[in-house]
Amino acid sequence: MRAIVKQRVEDKLYQNRYMVDHGRPHITVTPHLFPSRNLVALTQVCPAKCYQFNDRGQVTITSDGCLECGTCRVLCGTTGEITWKYPRGGFGVLFKFG
Ligand code: SF4
């Protein structure tokens, strides 16, 4: 009988690989003095924790670990607070299944 091994989400995400398109992030945050509530929410809802506060309380992104789930695009993609596009071909997340 095979034992069922439960994995944490973080362990599963660790299996993914990323091809970073250096200098060409596929998501950017529009410069702002104070973050809107939607921008603040991105620091909580992004499953890869790509959004962080900087030391001035503004929301920034490091898109290198982005899963391309589109959650932030739904929340802020039409408000002008972020720009979002898929990475160029050959770049971005490489999911490992199984
Ligand atoms: S697409 Fe998903 S994983 Fe990527 S930055 Fe947005 S919320 Fe995070």
Side-chain angles (χ1 to χ4, degrees), residues 18 26-27 42 45-51 61-74 82 84 86:
Y18 303 88
H26 66 288
I27 304 171
L42 294 182
V45 300
C46 173
K49 304 287 184 214
C50 292
Y51 292 91
I61 183 169
T62 304
S63 62
D64 295 357
C66 174
L67 303 170
E68 300 168 29
C69 70
T71 303
C72 58
R73 186 180 190 181
V74 170
I82 66 169
W84 197 107
Y86 281 108

Side-chain angles (χ1 to χ4, degrees), residues 32-36 39 56-58:
H32 55 279
L33 288 177
F34 305 101
S36 69
L39 282 178
R56 287 171 285 177
Q58 298 155 336

Side-chain angles (χ1 to χ4, degrees), residues 51-98:
Y51 292 91
Q52 302 286 327
F53 291 104
N54 64 15
D55 56 0
R56 287 171 285 177
Q58 298 155 336
V59 174
T60 61
I61 183 169
T62 304
S63 62
D64 295 357
C66 174
L67 303 170
E68 300 168 29
C69 70
T71 303
C72 58
R73 186 180 190 181
V74 170
L75 203 56
C76 294
T78 59
T79 65
E81 295 169 294
I82 66 169
T83 61
W84 197 107
K85 59 182 185 290
Y86 281 108
R88 290 191 301 154
F91 294 97
V93 64
L94 307 170
F95 291 106
K96 181 176 180 183
F97 297 100

Side-chain angles (χ1 to χ4, degrees), residues 13-45:
L13 291 177
Y14 182 73
Q15 302 296 320
N16 296 330
R17 294 293 174 257
Y18 303 88
M19 293 297 293
V20 177
D21 197 359
H22 295 285
R24 298 181 76 161
H26 66 288
I27 304 171
T28 59
V29 176
T30 303
H32 55 279
L33 288 177
F34 305 101
S36 69
R37 291 199 311 194
N38 277 5
L39 282 178
V40 171
L42 294 182
T43 65
Q44 298 295 313
V45 300

